Amino acid sequence: MANVFRGKRFSSACGAPAVLLLVLALLLPILTALGGCDSQGEKAAPERGTPGVTDQAISLGSSLALSGHASYLGTQTLRGALSYLKHINDQGGVWGRRIELTAYDDSYDPPRCLANTQKLIVEDRVFALFCYVGTPTTVKILPLVEDARIPLLGMFTGANALRAPFNRYVINIRASYYQETAAAVRHLVKDLGLTRIAVFYQYDAYGFDGLTGTELALKEFGLEPVARGFYVRGTMDVEDGLSKIQKSGAEAVVMIGTYDPCARFIQLAAERRFQPIFHTVSFVGAEELARRLGDSSGQVVVMSQVVPPFEGPDARQLLGSAEEYVHLLAKYFPDDKPNSVGLEGYINARILVEGLKLAGRNLTREGFISAIESIRDYTLGPGANVSFGPDNHQGMERVYFTRLVDGRFVLVSNWQEVLGALDEVRAKTQAGTQAGTQVGTQEGRARP
Amino acid sequence: MSFVRDSLRRYGSLSLKNKIFGSILAVVLLISVAIAFVARYILVSSLTAELEMRGSAIAHSIAERGGTFMLDKDYPQLLSLIFDEARLHERKHLISYIFITDQGGEVLAHTMTRPFPSELRLANQVPQDKGRSLRLVTVEQESIHDIAVPIKEGLYRIGTVHVGLSKSHIDSLISKLRLTFLGFISAIICIIFFLSNRITQYITRPISKLTRISDELSRGNFDITLDFQEEDLNWKPSECPAYVNTEMPCWHFDQSARLAATHRTCKSCVFYRKRQGDEVVQLGDSFRNMVWSIKLYRRRLRESEEKYRSLFDSGPDPVFVVDCENFHIADANPRAQELYGYEKEELLGMSYLALGPENRSDCLITYEGKGGGTGCLYHPKVLHYKKGNKPFYVNVHACPISYKGRHAIIIAVTDITEMIEKDAQVIQAGKMKSLGEMSAGIAHELNQPLNAIKMGSEFLALMEEQGRTASPEQFHQVVVEISAQVDRAAEIINTLRAFGRKAEMLKERIDVNKPIGSVLTIVRRQFELDNIRFNLDLGEGLPPVLAQDNRLQQVFFNLLTNARDAINEASLPSEMDARRSIGIRTGAEGGGVTVDISDTGVGIPDEVRDKIFEPFFTTKETGQGMGLGLAITYGIVRDYGGQVRIDSEPGQGTTLHLFFPQAL
């Protein structure tokens, strides 16, 4: 150290050694700091080979509701996807590799989903997670996805938690609930001129998400839900919610739930002569809801969809590649009727395979994600494009609207029809009231 | 050891700025490092304790809630529970893993996304009696705090919860701390660098300036201005009365300190300007005062030196400084050069004895304190030699001094050549007068031989006229007699001539009888005609004295003349029975020669006895004598180192005793 101190000065009277001294004195801490930096934070991920990829096969994992009150959703999603995957496998797979999908049943139970996913990651060592169903379940496994850095693609849920904060490993294809409810509210307020809108939601993360979305959408118009009613997941206890909403005199009810409780809600409302326009999100499950409601309710039920609907005079034009789904489903699962849930699964599989193709033979998880992010305007049908980007993991944005007509949900071509339908229903009810056999319910008609 | 000494020496030779900077830096760095370590230790230990506390809390919470799930064997719920605990927001950073084992140690649920490391299972086991176990385990090169808490159902343990806490956030905190410290230290280094530079500059600049100034002063350059403070520029040295006139005292350093404080005149003087300030400022002030003081003093000194130098240089008398050790002339003033005819360069270093050989013993005498009352010696009428060995007479004053630390004498020389010449002239005048007096006698004296010669030549002429020839015996007698008389006349004339001659300068070894004889030759007959008898008692084989023959004759002549005058006052020459005699006695006594001249004259009364040797003192009537004879006599006798003593009895006679020291 003494050698360093050979005096000279920084300015006027002296020269180099003081400058040298100063520079050294400053460098020392910096160097130490740099040296010390390594001990900070990040654990370097240990280098392993890509799991789930062998020379012949790519293995994927899924945990979804294959039994229980949401079994339809899970089963159809899975079959929709599988029909395409089998098709691809029959054509030689992707880059010579077959795609194998391991699916576990979690009955829409988040802990079970968690356990299944951990098993898939740790024991089955799958390459990616695919086709998850449900908000609480999928949200529950997000920590696992983060920790294991495993891609999660194609979830049958529009939950906001999957979209924000942005997660590199989570790839959403369907539009979010926020987008669905925003579109719905827009139509309700602008096209139908309704302002008294209530929300009926499942009492869990999914329901909260939808509620928040609706509230946000209403806020745009300076409105608020006139009532909020809920039911507990897994139950059919809709009466309290219904009473609350009916008392508020709502003109429209946005429903975020599953098909059984929603069907019951609508039927009970009809019995109690409460006839707002019911709007459900796609997750409810169009076919099952339609099946349960039948023709008898006489209510106006509108459902938003995130995939092009099948039914309806104009629907055909929108189908595009949905035709292939119909064809493949008939081939591999001939007992199942084509439905929008399955179509979603199919679309998930389409995107998955596209990503695998783009990722090339040298398949890694990171490479796969980068490949997905490179997809731009992948066409599924007229007006149905899928685009991703390094900041955009939301593939589809479009929301379609369908109405329950004759036991089927058909595409809404224009909203005047819906208005007309509403008037019809109210007229019928009045006639029924005039018949004087029913206890009057509040006629909360609000004509535009 | 030598390394330490070496470094200390190197350290000592650094400039002040670097010393201060280096020392402060070293201390600060030391302190900083110490603080850093202490802080780190405190931080780490307290954070770890915190961490463990939180981990324990989590573990306990899981243990509480997981118990039911375990009993129900509802493992998905258990998994969900531990996942919630592990991954909830910020917990992600804190908790590395959680796993639950049953009482057999089998893992029921864990939060890892990779195969469970088997060593972890049994790594930290809770002893039977304890409620908790804490251990640092290593999982894939990472250190994790594993906290194990038993899951109890009542008293029975059904499993264990392990919460693994990652130290990463503690480590990141430590890194942050380290970085902060280092940044802090860097900032401190910079600040100290500039601060210490400033401070040392503040100190060293005035000191360097003072050093420069004192270097200039030590070279004798007193003209540099002491302008380190602005106020001083207005004060000029010419404002100081003591500077301008060195006779005036300076109140500051000529008075004692106490008085100076009370009598503060010269209010504007630099000395009194004491500024409020720190040591550096005061050093500056004191230095300035010191320099001014020196200036003042030097001025005085220079004036004094000039004064004395001019005295030395322009003194009317030659002054020599002679070194006692080697008798070389150390210094001589210009007058000395003029007088002695040497240039200064020739004089310096020349031996003084070449100029004044008789002063050889002066050094010794003066230093032995044998000089006169002032410690100085006085040599009257010493013979010195000018350039070319020309002798001349001087009076010499020699005083001891210390010259350049050595014994030396300072010799002041007064040229008395003129005086001597005057003396000589006076003596000559006296002599001439004497001669004049003697002329009658001399004429008489000369007559005799001339008569004799005449008789003889007349006899021969007579013979010749008578046609007779003298007999050879008669002829021989007459011729011899004529020759003898001529000799005698010649002798008288020679004596006269000798007498009249100016005295020689140099002393010779003289037998006193000789000048006595010479004088008697001249005056004896005359005195005898005056009926004065001489009683002579001249000693034989007298030792010689160092004197001049001529002068001695002068002396004896004067004394004899005085004796005759005294006798003539006592009695007339015609008195046949009066005592009219002069006695001359010479002898060797007391290391020298004594000459006693006694007369039967009138004597010298007591009151006059002391005065007779004074110049111009005479008892004769005006016109009869100048009164110089005895003065001259006295002077001459003293010149030869002799003494004169009078014995006199009025009415009886006088005896003058002369003593001359023996010539060496």
Side-chain angles (χ1 to χ4, degrees):
Chain A
M1 269 293 252
N3 289 328
V4 177
F5 287 15
R6 280 191 215 284
K8 287 182 202 175
R9 256 196 62 197
F10 194 50
S11 54
S12 62
C14 304
V19 185
L20 178 69
L21 165 70
L22 194 61
V23 167
L24 268 172
L26 289 172
L27 267 181
L28 208 70
I30 293 171
L31 286 171
T32 330
L34 285 175
C37 258
D38 288 347
S39 63
Q40 191 178 8
E42 304 195 20
K43 312 170 203 172
E47 276 298 318
R48 302 185 213 127
T50 308
V53 178
T54 65
D55 283 339
Q56 280 89 38
I58 303 168
S59 62
L60 304 171
S62 181
S63 169
L64 60 177
L66 298 174
S67 64
H69 62 98
S71 59
Y72 179 76
L73 301 173
T75 321
Q76 288 307 311
T77 309
L78 189 61
R79 287 187 186 164
L82 278 175
S83 51
Y84 186 70
L85 292 177
K86 282 185 199 269
H87 171 68
I88 290 291
N89 283 343
D90 286 344
Q91 293 188 333
V94 178
W95 295 108
R97 292 191 179 105
R98 293 165 41 82
I99 301 172
E100 288 167 0
L101 180 57
T102 314
Y104 293 131
D105 174 32
D106 60 20
S107 304
Y108 200 45
D109 182 29
R112 277 177 65 181
C113 181
L114 186 64
N116 290 343
T117 312
Q118 190 179 35
K119 185 153 181 270
L120 285 168
I121 295 173
V122 175
E123 290 176 27
D124 300 323
R125 288 174 57 81
V126 297
F127 171 71
L129 299 170
F130 178 63
C131 269
Y132 271 61
V133 168
T135 306
T137 45
T138 318
V139 167
K140 194 98 187 151
I141 62 130
L142 278 179
L144 277 172
V145 167
E146 258 185 67
D147 207 30
R149 299 206 191 108
I150 184 170
L152 171 64
L153 182 103
M155 291 73 69
F156 189 77
T157 162
N160 195 46
L162 297 174
R163 290 153 177 85
F166 178 78
N167 190 331
R168 186 172 146 76
Y169 295 96
V170 175
I171 296 158
N172 299 294
I173 297 172
R174 72 175 351 243
S176 68
Y177 293 143
Y178 283 18
Q179 283 164 314
E180 277 191 66
T181 51
V185 163
R186 216 180 8 260
H187 285 296
L188 287 174
V189 172
K190 286 168 71 174
D191 289 314
L192 299 181
L194 306 174
T195 54
R196 302 181 64 81
I197 301 168
V199 182
F200 181 70
Y201 59 98
Q202 179 166 292
Y203 201 70
D204 70 356
Y206 155 57
F208 297 145
D209 214 12
L211 174 65
T212 312
T214 315
E215 283 175 341
L216 283 172
L218 284 170
K219 209 158 161 205
E220 297 278 311
F221 296 97
L223 297 169
E224 256 190 27
V226 296
R228 297 173 186 78
F230 63 85
Y231 73 95
V232 173
R233 177 181 75 220
T235 68
M236 302 277 276
D237 303 329
V238 302
E239 288 85 357
D240 287 335
L242 176 58
S243 316
K244 213 198 278 182
I245 289 171
Q246 192 172 13
K247 269 208 202 98
S248 74
E251 295 166 319
V253 181
V254 174
M255 298 171 64
I256 300 119
T258 55
Y259 39 81
D260 276 327
C262 286
R264 181 138 194 274
F265 184 91
I266 294 170
Q267 282 163 343
L268 273 181
E271 284 170 26
R272 299 188 188 181
R273 295 226 182 273
F274 176 48
Q275 282 152 337
I277 173 170
F278 296 94
H279 182 279
T280 64
V281 295
S282 57
F283 188 79
V284 172
E287 287 74 18
E288 288 301 299
L289 186 64
R291 195 158 60 79
R292 279 158 181 72
L293 288 177
D295 220 357
S296 54
S297 67
Q299 300 272 39
V300 178
V301 182
V302 175
M303 182 183 285
S304 53
Q305 289 286 6
V306 292
V307 292
F310 288 103
E311 310 287 346
D314 305 316
R316 289 269 153 194
Q317 298 162 17
L318 293 171
L319 270 183
S321 47
E323 295 209 28
E324 196 188 34
Y325 158 67
V326 171
H327 168 70
L328 290 173
L329 186 67
K331 180 177 177 189
Y332 293 105
F333 298 98
D335 298 326
D336 288 312
K337 188 165 167 282
N339 57 79
S340 47
V341 176
L343 180 57
E344 272 198 58
Y346 166 81
I347 291 173
N348 290 346
R350 281 282 295 272
I351 305 295
L352 171 80
V353 167
E354 182 65 15
L356 286 172
K357 281 191 189 149
L358 288 173
R361 173 77 192 171
N362 210 353
L363 186 62
T364 61
R365 284 173 173 167
E366 300 294 325
F368 174 66
I369 292 184
S370 303
I372 294 283
E373 285 174 350
S374 71
I375 294 176
R376 297 274 188 291
D377 292 325
Y378 179 76
T379 313
L380 293 168
N385 289 342
V386 183
S387 295
F388 293 96
D391 300 327
N392 176 21
H393 281 199
Q394 175 68 54
M396 296 173 69
E397 313 246 330
R398 181 133 176 215
V399 180
Y400 306 85
F401 287 91
T402 58
R403 185 162 72 88
L404 185 62
V405 171
D406 294 333
R408 291 179 325 203
F409 277 96
V410 299
L411 185 67
V412 169
S413 338
N414 82 62
W415 286 83
Q416 293 305 321
E417 277 179 30
V418 179
L419 213 52
L422 195 59
D423 288 339
E424 267 186 48
V425 163
R426 294 218 174 106
K428 263 198 214 152
T429 317
Q430 275 188 335
T433 327
Q434 280 166 8
T437 53
Q438 306 243 352
V439 178
T441 52
Q442 258 184 322
E443 293 179 342
R445 282 184 231 186
R447 286 286 182 147
Chain B
M1 247 348 259
S2 70
F3 171 72
V4 175
R5 227 181 295 132
D6 205 30
S7 333
L8 281 176
R9 191 166 24 96
R10 265 230 222 107
Y11 177 74
S13 65
L14 292 174
S15 77
L16 186 65
K17 175 175 59 62
N18 286 324
K19 267 207 194 84
I20 288 182
F21 176 53
S23 309
I24 294 180
L25 191 68
V27 169
V28 166
L29 278 176
L30 247 135
I31 292 178
S32 304
V33 167
I35 289 178
F37 276 113
V38 168
R40 187 172 183 279
Y41 168 72
I42 291 175
L43 196 68
V44 170
S45 52
S46 42
L47 280 178
T48 311
E50 274 295 312
L51 197 68
E52 283 159 10
M53 208 158 57
R54 286 175 70 189
S56 293
I58 294 169
H60 278 115
S61 142
I62 293 173
E64 287 292 309
R65 293 189 283 156
T68 10
F69 297 136
M70 285 185 70
L71 291 172
D72 293 341
K73 296 210 193 305
D74 188 351
Y75 299 130
Q77 281 283 30
L78 201 61
L79 185 66
S80 171
L81 171 69
I82 62 175
F83 251 99
D84 284 341
E85 291 286 342
R87 304 303 297 184
L88 191 65
H89 300 297
E90 290 85 2
R91 292 248 185 98
K92 285 200 284 270
H93 305 298
L94 175 68
I95 296 180
S96 177
Y97 61 77
I98 301 180
F99 68 92
I100 298 181
T101 58
D102 63 13
Q103 60 265 56
E106 294 304 316
V107 175
L108 300 177
H110 67 88
T111 61
M112 296 192 198
T113 53
R114 51 188 195 279
F116 188 79
S118 48
E119 66 271 14
L120 197 53
R121 217 161 39 88
L122 301 166
N124 181 17
Q125 292 181 311
V126 185
Q128 231 9 65
D129 51 341
K130 289 267 194 317
R132 185 178 88 155
S133 170
L134 222 85
R135 223 173 136 149
L136 198 63
V137 301
T138 312
V139 177
E140 285 170 15
Q141 287 98 38
E142 251 194 277
S143 279
I144 309 273
H145 291 277
D146 187 294
I147 300 177
V149 168
I151 304 175
K152 292 220 167 123
E153 188 62 31
L155 288 173
Y156 189 56
R157 186 195 288 190
I158 53 174
T160 318
V161 175
H162 291 259
V163 176
L165 300 169
S166 93
K167 287 166 72 244
S168 65
H169 89 291
I170 290 184
D171 289 342
S172 74
L173 217 70
I174 299 292
S175 292
K176 234 183 258 175
L177 180 72
R178 188 183 301 152
L179 207 62
T180 313
F181 254 105
L182 292 173
F184 179 66
I185 287 176
S186 305
I188 292 243
I189 289 173
C190 277
I191 291 174
I192 285 178
F193 183 76
F194 288 111
L195 208 65
S196 72
N197 261 351
R198 268 288 139 92
I199 290 177
T200 49
Q201 234 186 322
Y202 174 69
I203 293 174
T204 55
R205 205 182 270 155
I207 287 181
S208 302
K209 199 167 183 179
L210 287 178
T211 311
R212 261 203 319 278
I213 289 176
S214 66
D215 279 345
E216 286 291 312
L217 293 181
S218 67
R219 278 193 217 103
N221 176 14
F222 269 79
D223 296 327
I224 47 114
T225 45
L226 309 170
D227 58 349
F228 11 80
Q229 294 104 18
E230 313 74 53
E231 307 93 68
D232 293 349
L233 289 174
N234 300 327
W235 186 86
K236 310 249 180 319
S238 50
E239 286 178 22
C240 171
Y243 188 76
V244 170
N245 174 9
T246 54
E247 296 297 308
M248 294 257 318
C250 168
W251 294 100
H252 181 76
F253 72 55
D254 285 327
Q255 313 289 87
S256 72
R258 211 165 19 91
L259 286 178
T262 54
H263 295 283
R264 259 190 62 172
T265 54
C266 302
K267 291 212 177 55
S268 64
C269 178
V270 175
F271 281 135
Y272 296 125
R273 227 187 326 269
K274 277 262 181 241
R275 295 184 303 167
Q276 289 303 109
D278 60 15
E279 288 84 345
V280 178
V281 168
Q282 296 193 1
L283 178 66
D285 278 351
S286 281
F287 192 81
R288 180 205 61 214
N289 287 352
M290 180 189 79
V291 172
W292 174 240
S293 196
I294 291 178
K295 263 192 172 170
L296 204 57
Y297 194 75
R298 262 173 67 113
R299 193 175 159 79
R300 284 191 182 180
L301 202 63
R302 194 170 57 215
E303 285 208 359
S304 165
E305 204 226 21
E306 279 171 6
K307 190 158 67 175
Y308 288 103
R309 174 134 293 266
S310 59
L311 283 178
F312 184 78
D313 283 346
S314 29
D317 279 336
V319 177
F320 293 95
V321 178
V322 175
D323 188 328
C324 273
E325 280 171 38
N326 52 15
F327 283 96
H328 282 188
I329 296 173
D331 199 0
N333 72 349
R335 192 77 188 88
Q337 299 158 35
E338 267 181 53
L339 188 62
Y340 285 79
Y342 291 100
E343 293 301 322
K344 182 147 187 185
E345 303 82 55
E346 296 173 290
L347 280 177
L348 298 179
M350 193 170 107
S351 170
Y352 177 70
L353 299 171
L355 303 175
E358 290 114 23
N359 298 118
R360 183 189 295 271
S361 55
D362 283 356
C363 279
L364 212 57
I365 296 173
T366 53
Y367 277 100
E368 286 171 16
K370 296 204 177 91
T374 54
C376 291
L377 283 179
Y378 178 64
H379 299 280
K381 243 202 285 192
V382 175
L383 197 63
H384 274 203
Y385 297 88
K386 293 193 193 192
K387 188 164 188 177
N389 239 358
K390 294 197 282 242
F392 68 112
Y393 278 98
V394 294
N395 285 343
V396 176
H397 242 118
C399 291
I401 59 164
S402 175
Y403 187 81
K404 292 187 184 168
R406 309 218 290 232
H407 287 326
I409 41 172
I410 195 162
I411 297 180
V413 161
T414 314
D415 182 11
I416 55 172
T417 314
E418 259 184 51
M419 199 171 83
I420 299 267
E421 281 180 3
K422 292 239 166 29
D423 264 359
Q425 280 178 8
V426 165
I427 291 172
Q428 199 71 352
K431 268 203 282 196
M432 289 303 125
K433 183 179 160 302
S434 308
L435 265 178
E437 286 181 2
M438 281 193 284
S439 54
I442 293 166
H444 184 76
E445 288 284 336
L446 272 177
N447 266 337
Q448 290 199 313
L450 281 174
N451 281 334
I453 292 167
K454 185 136 175 100
M455 275 181 11
S457 63
E458 275 184 4
F459 176 73
L460 288 176
L462 194 64
M463 291 276 120
E464 174 55 32
E465 276 176 27
Q466 292 176 355
R468 298 192 301 191
T469 42
S471 69
E473 298 85 23
Q474 279 178 317
F475 189 75
H476 182 75
Q477 195 183 357
V478 167
V479 165
V480 163
E481 188 65 28
I482 287 172
S483 187
Q485 292 298 329
V486 167
D487 283 341
R488 182 151 171 236
E491 196 195 317
I492 291 171
I493 289 168
N494 279 341
T495 309
L496 263 174
R497 202 172 344 133
F499 189 76
R501 211 183 315 166
K502 256 194 176 165
E504 307 92 12
M505 301 286 278
L506 297 168
K507 299 183 203 170
E508 303 162 312
R509 299 161 76 89
I510 312 250
D511 181 354
V512 300
N513 290 340
K514 186 163 165 297
I516 293 175
S518 304
V519 170
L520 282 175
T521 317
I522 300 175
V523 305
R524 188 167 190 172
R525 289 254 194 253
Q526 188 187 4
F527 281 21
E528 281 175 351
L529 284 177
D530 256 356
N531 204 13
I532 297 173
R533 287 183 297 282
F534 279 97
N535 298 325
L536 297 178
D537 179 11
L538 302 176
E540 300 275 315
L542 292 175
V545 301
L546 212 54
Q548 287 135 327
D549 185 69
N550 196 292
R551 296 259 172 113
L552 282 176
Q553 287 188 29
Q554 174 85 352
V555 165
F556 296 133
F557 186 81
N558 275 332
L559 294 176
L560 292 177
T561 316
N562 285 347
R564 182 205 59 199
D565 291 338
I567 292 171
N568 281 340
E569 273 188 51
S571 59
L572 289 165
S574 52
E575 293 174 35
M576 292 311 291
D577 44 349
R579 285 169 49 248
R580 295 172 66 87
S581 65
I582 295 174
I584 302 177
R585 194 182 75 83
T586 61
E589 283 164 37
V593 173
T594 54
V595 177
D596 302 326
I597 301 177
S598 46
D599 64 57
T600 54
V602 72
I604 304 171
D606 281 332
E607 61 268 20
V608 171
R609 192 184 303 207
D610 301 319
K611 288 202 193 166
I612 54 169
F613 290 108
E614 280 177 26
F616 303 108
F617 180 82
T618 177
T619 54
K620 299 200 176 100
E621 287 139 26
T622 322
Q624 289 298 321
M626 284 193 291
L628 284 174
L630 275 176
I632 292 170
T633 302
Y634 186 78
I636 292 170
V637 172
R638 285 299 302 235
D639 243 2
Y640 300 142
Q643 292 161 16
V644 179
R645 201 164 44 88
I646 304 181
D647 268 336
S648 181
E649 182 119 18
Q652 290 292 325
T654 307
T655 306
L656 275 134
H657 303 278
L658 301 174
F659 172 80
F660 294 96
Q662 186 174 335
L664 295 160

